[in-house]
Amino acid sequence: MNKVILMGRLTRDPEIRYSQGPNATGVCRYSLAVNRSYKREGEPDADFINVVAFGNRGEFASKYFKKGMMVAVVGELRTGSYTDKDGNKRYTTDVIASEQHFAESRSSSEGRDQGADFADGGNNYSKGGSYNNSGKNQGASDGGFTPVDMNIEGDDDLPF
């Protein structure tokens, strides 16, 4: 079985080209930066994986995917080779996409593009405002969610 599932950020905008002939097919290429689950000292944090999408999938990717977006791709691994202009044999490894999915909300993507600052740890957020553990929303954006008061004592105080 040859199946690959990846989730990462696009390193550049997808580029689409069309094949020659009466039934021109779109061939879209992009690359993903996929974080490694572990790393040794001195090694990079991510792998850069080339993805190829054909036909409607390629047109979709070229229209809706943008540099920096988090996407999930399901496909198969394909290896190949070619001879470059200097006569050297080059080897390639690509993922041929069979499925492509957005892996973050539009507001998250837009917020990241606008320089939003989301602090790690899950308790403090800021994007024109902030939310802290006191359960009070302070500012314009709460990420589309209603803050929950974390100071609940006992099962009788649960809202459901």
Side-chain angles (χ1 to χ4, degrees):
M1 177 185 295
N2 182 358
K3 187 169 188 172
V4 176
I5 302 171
L6 301 169
M7 185 165 58
R9 294 206 180 273
L10 274 77
T11 61
R12 58 187 162 86
D13 287 341
E15 297 174 8
I16 191 164
R17 296 184 181 178
Y18 291 89
S19 63
Q20 300 296 317
N23 296 331
T25 301
V27 180
C28 183
R29 295 181 181 274
Y30 57 92
S31 63
L32 291 179
V34 179
N35 287 336
R36 292 183 176 180
S37 58
Y38 62 93
K39 89 173 196 101
R40 295 182 196 160
E41 190 172 323
E43 287 186 352
D45 293 338
D47 291 307
F48 299 90
I49 312 294
N50 294 319
V51 179
V52 180
F54 293 99
N56 291 338
R57 287 183 199 95
E59 290 175 4
F60 176 87
S62 71
K63 185 174 181 180
Y64 297 108
F65 288 178
K66 301 293 179 218
K67 178 181 177 179
M69 289 179 74
M70 177 77 74
V71 297
V73 176
V74 177
E76 64 182 51
L77 204 57
R78 186 102 24 106
T79 60
S81 64
Y82 66 94
T83 304
D84 67 10
K85 62 182 177 181
D86 298 329
N88 299 319
K89 191 162 191 169
R90 301 287 182 180
Y91 296 93
T92 62
T93 303
D94 297 317
V95 172
I96 308 301
S98 59
E99 296 178 36
Q100 305 171 113
H101 306 276
F102 295 103
E104 68 183 345
S105 69
R106 178 181 282 180
S107 62
S108 294
S109 177
E110 289 172 353
R112 186 182 32 73
D113 292 343
Q114 295 171 3
D117 176 30
F118 293 96
D120 225 357
N123 291 330
N124 300 306
Y125 300 90
S126 64
K127 179 183 168 191
S130 64
Y131 171 78
N132 59 33
N133 237 0
S134 68
K136 296 177 183 171
N137 186 14
Q138 304 158 340
S141 176
D142 57 10
F145 295 97
T146 303
V148 175
D149 185 1
M150 299 305 291
N151 299 322
I152 298 175
E153 298 176 18
D155 292 336
D156 296 338
D157 295 335
L158 294 175
F160 50 89

